[in-house]
Amino acid sequence: MSEELSVCIVAYHNYNDIKRAIETMENYTPAKLTKKVYIVDNGNTSEWEKENKEFLKVIEQYPDVEYIDAYKNLGFGKGNNAVLPFLKSKYHCIMNPDIVFKEDAFTPIIKYMDDNLV
């Protein structure tokens, strides 16, 4: 295992939501918690890429965020399944793109699982 936590966010033309989710996640998640965030893009098109380079620049500033272009709409389930071959973490979170963090949510959940799961 290389990360303690992996997170998958499936995107479909909701890039402003994802940008906010990533920014707040990075602000409230302690650096000591090693994580990898996968964004699976179900809605990317060549037209979108030209118009929304700002979104890709936001992602690139976070070394623990990886962008995966699905090249088509896989849907929510298959979009999440697309990251399974990449996972090396102890825990995995499927996260909606409109989540806004107001505190560290992952540390208490991981502590609970570590303390209570065999």
Side-chain angles (χ1 to χ4, degrees):
M1 276 182 284
S2 53
E3 300 93 26
E4 190 170 6
L5 174 69
S6 58
V7 177
C8 182
I9 304 172
V10 176
Y12 187 77
H13 300 294
N14 49 351
Y15 308 107
N16 287 332
D17 288 341
I18 294 169
K19 176 182 169 191
R20 187 165 181 210
I22 291 169
E23 289 171 344
T24 60
M25 179 192 324
E26 293 292 340
N27 286 338
Y28 286 104
T29 304
K32 68 181 180 176
L33 175 63
T34 58
K35 69 183 181 319
K36 184 76 170 185
V37 180
Y38 298 91
I39 298 173
V40 179
D41 194 345
N42 275 340
N44 191 6
T45 63
S46 58
E47 294 81 24
W48 173 87
E49 201 164 330
K50 290 177 197 171
E51 296 172 8
N52 294 288
K53 289 186 179 184
E54 179 184 325
F55 175 70
L56 296 175
K57 287 179 185 176
V58 168
I59 293 172
E60 290 170 359
Q61 70 182 326
Y62 300 108
D64 60 353
V65 176
E66 185 173 328
Y67 177 82
I68 299 171
D69 191 340
Y71 297 104
K72 63 181 179 178
N73 187 353
L74 300 175
F76 183 76
K78 286 184 181 178
N80 280 293
N81 288 344
V83 303
L84 293 178
F86 305 108
L87 299 183
K88 300 174 186 167
S89 60
K90 182 175 181 180
Y91 298 110
H92 181 65
C93 174
I94 295 173
M95 192 173 107
N96 283 346
D98 59 349
I99 296 293
V100 175
F101 288 78
K102 295 186 178 188
E103 61 185 47
D104 174 17
F106 293 128
T107 301
I109 293 169
I110 289 172
K111 181 177 180 348
Y112 177 84
M113 290 188 291
D114 282 343
D115 292 346
N116 294 289
L117 299 178
V118 177

